[in-house]
Amino acid sequence: MRTDWISIAVPSHATSSSRADDDSAANTPASAATAKPSVEAQIAELRDALTAQIASSRAQERRIAALESDLRAARAGMATEAHAEEIPANIAPQPPSATATNVSSTLGTPQLDQKIASLSDEVASLKKSFGERLKNIGPFSFSGDIRLRDEPFFGGPADQSQVRDRERLRLRLNGAAKYEDFSGGFAFVTGDVNNPVSTNQTLNQFYTRKPFDLDRAYIEYRPHYFRPLTLTGGKFLYPWVSTELTWDRDLNPEGLAQTISFDLESLPLKRFALVGFELPFAETAGVSLNNKSIVQSAVSGGQLQTEWKLASWLKFSAYAAFYNWHNADPVALSVAIANAASPGLGLLRLNNNADQNAAVTTTGTFVATGQKVTTNSQFASKFALFDTIARFDIKTPAEKWPLVVLGDFVQNTEACANVGNILPAPANTALETFAQSRNAACDPHQRRGYWLEARLGRAQEKGDWNLSCTRIFVEREAVMAVFNYSEMRQGSNVSEHRVEAFYQAYRNVQLGFTGLFGRPLVTATSPTKENILKRLQFDVLYRF
């Protein structure tokens, strides 16, 4: 039973009119102001509401305890009758309790089974309703989870640089609220603040405290006069559908999104939607003597969504999206150094998987000290991604074993299009010399990615199994690899297999296994065949 949250019943006038009171306070006559309840009266009212709520919660707990006691007594009475013949004759009988007397009167009759079933249902119902109430504070409802993971690595590069066995944890806390046409929420999560695609915290920092940072904060508006429209702003969950071929599941984008969705009941086409989004991700300060204006980098695009009911047991969904990464070079620079793309030099280096997209990096060396610094880094490609997804949801004869088959194909329509924009190295000076290095030659044919996944089962009730197998193939210039699936051997130029098995040990407790097996592609720019890196994940997840 959860006892970490207590619901507070706040009078309606205390919530609905508080903003209006603030806005009109300056223009309210003194006579009208004196008619309003005093601050002390409002505090007293809230205190009384809280006291009543606590008393109600305690009464609910006592009722649950009493019912559980009756249930245990009923079951004990049944067991006593079943084994009465085994009691030795020299043991004196104990006087029956009041509960036992009531139960004994029904022993041997059909009413006993009915009483036990009725008590069980009432206890379960009270626990559920009480637990739901405790999850709320005022208008906010809360949820979250804790995950523990053991993660060994085997194989990989010949120098064994990827071999390790690490312990990781993740804690997420979510809050959400709704008021008329508006809703909003927030989330806090563990993980490296400079790694947007992972919420895991590795236990390797000498028992120090772990960061717990803002992961989402958003407001959503859905006007009652036009329900198909939803407007979202802030840092939010994806409003579009994707796989981790293009976007990691742990990343929450930032900016604005617009969705217009229509549910169609009488046609095979059950849902039709359009999603648009504008997502700024960097600001770059100019370096020219005459122009130091700050330039914005952003992702813009949209998605067409359709869902079809082809049969009573078969649903088909199709999605087509376009992601345009405008001025993406600051990502390349922030991967290389301490986020120097930001006007304020940002925080730390943007974490990433090794061996990202082809890029040219400019390095300066100070003549006096020999110190090397990265002065610029640029992608060889621009990133304008056309992404299509097809999904089949199949109902099998066994309700606990639904089948999902999903395919995703992405193509970068501007592979190697940034080569002409790469700046030459600055001229050497008496104080500093410059050199450029290329990560890999850019091949415009290496611009595609594939994701094929099959998933069987579900993860809802105790005893459920969820099994999956996924094939992933990503060419070097296909995607913005810093932001896609972070568990792969690397974000691009990679071939990967994934198997998953999840078991619902209890309604709120899940045991999981994930196996990832991948290595870089063998191409003209990466001709050496690497051993397969085997990455295993053993998880225990508790939801609350």
Side-chain angles (χ1 to χ4, degrees):
M1 184 190 308
R2 287 182 294 267
T3 58
D4 47 346
W5 303 111
I6 295 179
S7 174
I8 303 176
V10 181
S12 59
H13 73 267
T15 55
S16 61
S17 63
S18 59
R19 179 61 183 269
D21 292 345
D22 291 342
D23 292 344
S24 61
N27 299 318
T28 301
S31 58
T34 56
K36 295 183 178 180
S38 66
V39 174
E40 292 79 4
Q42 294 182 41
I43 293 175
E45 185 177 4
L46 290 173
R47 185 186 298 112
D48 292 343
L50 177 59
T51 301
Q53 187 66 53
I54 292 174
S56 174
S57 298
R58 289 175 177 171
Q60 192 87 301
E61 285 183 311
R62 289 193 294 271
R63 174 65 175 152
I64 290 173
L67 287 171
E68 287 181 326
S69 178
D70 288 349
L71 180 58
R72 287 193 297 270
R75 287 172 174 164
M78 179 180 286
T80 300
E81 182 186 65
H83 298 283
E85 297 178 357
E86 302 175 6
I87 300 177
N90 61 347
I91 297 181
Q94 298 296 320
S97 64
T99 301
T101 300
N102 293 335
V103 172
S104 64
S105 65
T106 62
L107 286 174
T109 68
Q111 286 81 5
L112 179 59
D113 290 339
Q114 295 176 5
K115 180 175 181 180
I116 291 176
S118 176
L119 288 172
S120 297
D121 292 343
E122 190 169 358
V123 168
S125 176
L126 284 172
K127 279 186 173 180
K128 182 178 179 180
S129 63
F130 187 53
E132 292 299 321
R133 290 171 62 189
L134 290 176
K135 288 171 62 178
N136 295 272
I137 295 181
F140 283 94
S141 60
F142 293 88
S143 63
D145 62 68
I146 301 172
R147 186 179 68 191
L148 305 180
R149 169 175 290 176
D150 177 53
E151 190 173 40
F153 292 69
F154 309 94
D159 62 1
Q160 301 187 29
S161 58
Q162 295 292 319
V163 175
R164 66 191 303 187
D165 188 354
R166 62 183 175 184
E167 303 298 320
R168 313 191 87 185
L169 64 82
R170 183 190 71 188
L171 170 62
R172 299 188 296 191
L173 175 64
N174 312 304
K178 188 177 187 306
Y179 179 74
E180 295 186 351
D181 293 349
F182 290 88
S183 60
F186 60 88
F188 289 89
V189 71
T190 52
D192 183 350
V193 67
N194 299 297
N195 187 350
V197 293
S198 177
T199 54
N200 292 303
Q201 180 66 55
T202 303
L203 306 183
N204 62 356
Q205 296 296 323
F206 306 105
Y207 310 130
T208 54
R209 295 179 180 86
K210 311 306 177 189
F212 192 61
D213 301 293
L214 185 67
D215 193 43
R216 287 200 306 273
Y218 66 93
I219 295 176
E220 191 171 88
Y221 175 60
R222 188 178 182 187
H224 64 275
Y225 52 83
F226 189 54
R227 284 300 183 186
L229 177 65
T230 302
L231 304 177
T232 308
K235 187 173 180 65
F236 44 82
L237 293 169
Y238 298 111
W240 64 90
V241 176
S242 65
T243 71
E244 293 187 285
L245 179 64
T246 51
W247 297 95
D248 189 275
R249 191 178 298 121
D250 286 330
L251 185 147
N252 289 307
E254 304 166 8
L256 301 172
Q258 309 82 33
T259 302
I260 183 167
S261 176
F262 299 95
D263 293 326
L264 310 172
E265 296 299 331
S266 60
L267 300 174
L269 176 61
K270 292 301 180 183
R271 180 175 175 270
F272 174 84
L274 291 172
V275 181
F277 42 84
E278 305 80 35
L279 313 172
F281 61 86
E283 290 185 329
T284 307
V287 296
S288 169
L289 292 177
N290 298 321
N291 185 1
K292 296 185 180 296
S293 61
I294 296 174
V295 178
Q296 181 73 66
S297 298
V299 180
S300 59
Q303 184 177 66
L304 170 65
Q305 303 178 351
T306 61
E307 296 177 4
W308 306 74
K309 187 174 182 179
L310 304 183
S312 61
W313 53 272
L314 178 61
K315 184 176 78 171
F316 172 68
S317 304
Y319 310 93
F322 185 74
Y323 311 111
N324 182 36
W325 292 79
H326 171 69
N327 189 28
D329 282 342
V331 175
L333 183 58
S334 294
V335 167
I337 62 173
N339 209 16
S342 170
L345 298 184
L347 297 171
L348 299 177
R349 173 178 172 178
L350 180 65
N351 287 348
N352 71 102
N353 284 333
D355 193 18
Q356 297 297 313
N357 314 105
V360 173
T361 300
T362 304
T363 304
T365 303
F366 292 102
V367 175
T369 63
Q371 179 185 4
K372 294 182 180 295
V373 294
T374 300
T375 61
N376 193 25
S377 186
Q378 294 179 265
F379 291 118
S381 290
K382 294 181 179 180
F383 296 92
L385 311 183
F386 182 62
D387 186 31
T388 56
I389 299 173
R391 170 175 171 152
F392 293 89
D393 287 83
I394 304 169
K395 289 184 179 180
T396 67
E399 182 181 359
K400 297 180 66 173
W401 296 99
L403 175 64
V404 175
V405 179
L406 180 150
D408 186 4
F409 170 73
V410 65
Q411 178 171 246
N412 183 5
T413 62
E414 294 197 44
C416 302
N418 204 44
V419 171
N421 297 325
I422 293 177
L423 300 175
N428 295 335
T429 67
L431 300 177
E432 189 175 6
T433 61
F434 297 90
Q436 283 189 329
S437 62
R438 185 180 298 271
N439 182 32
C442 191
D443 182 352
H445 296 97
Q446 297 179 4
R447 59 179 181 174
R448 300 176 181 88
Y450 310 86
W451 180 289
L452 181 61
E453 177 179 346
R455 187 171 295 275
L456 180 65
R458 65 182 190 182
Q460 298 175 3
E461 304 293 338
K462 179 180 179 180
D464 284 351
W465 282 90
N466 187 281
L467 312 172
S468 79
C469 181
T470 307
R471 176 73 173 96
I472 310 164
F473 181 91
V474 191
E475 294 180 320
R476 186 180 295 276
E477 305 301 323
V479 296
M480 177 63 75
V482 178
F483 299 114
N484 69 345
Y485 188 31
S486 62
E487 312 289 346
M488 294 190 295
R489 166 64 180 87
Q490 55 196 46
S492 70
N493 193 47
V494 67
S495 174
E496 194 88 18
H497 295 265
R498 183 183 72 180
V499 293
E500 295 176 304
F502 300 100
Y503 174 66
Q504 207 68 27
Y506 299 94
R507 186 175 180 84
N508 289 2
V509 178
Q510 184 183 83
L511 307 179
F513 166 77
T514 302
L516 294 144
F517 310 92
R519 62 184 171 195
L521 300 178
V522 177
T523 66
T525 55
S526 56
T528 303
K529 187 175 183 179
E530 183 182 288
N531 294 326
I532 292 177
L533 178 66
K534 296 171 280 293
R535 179 177 182 175
L536 310 180
Q537 299 171 342
F538 301 91
D539 296 335
V540 178
L541 176 70
Y542 172 70
R543 294 188 178 92
F544 56 88

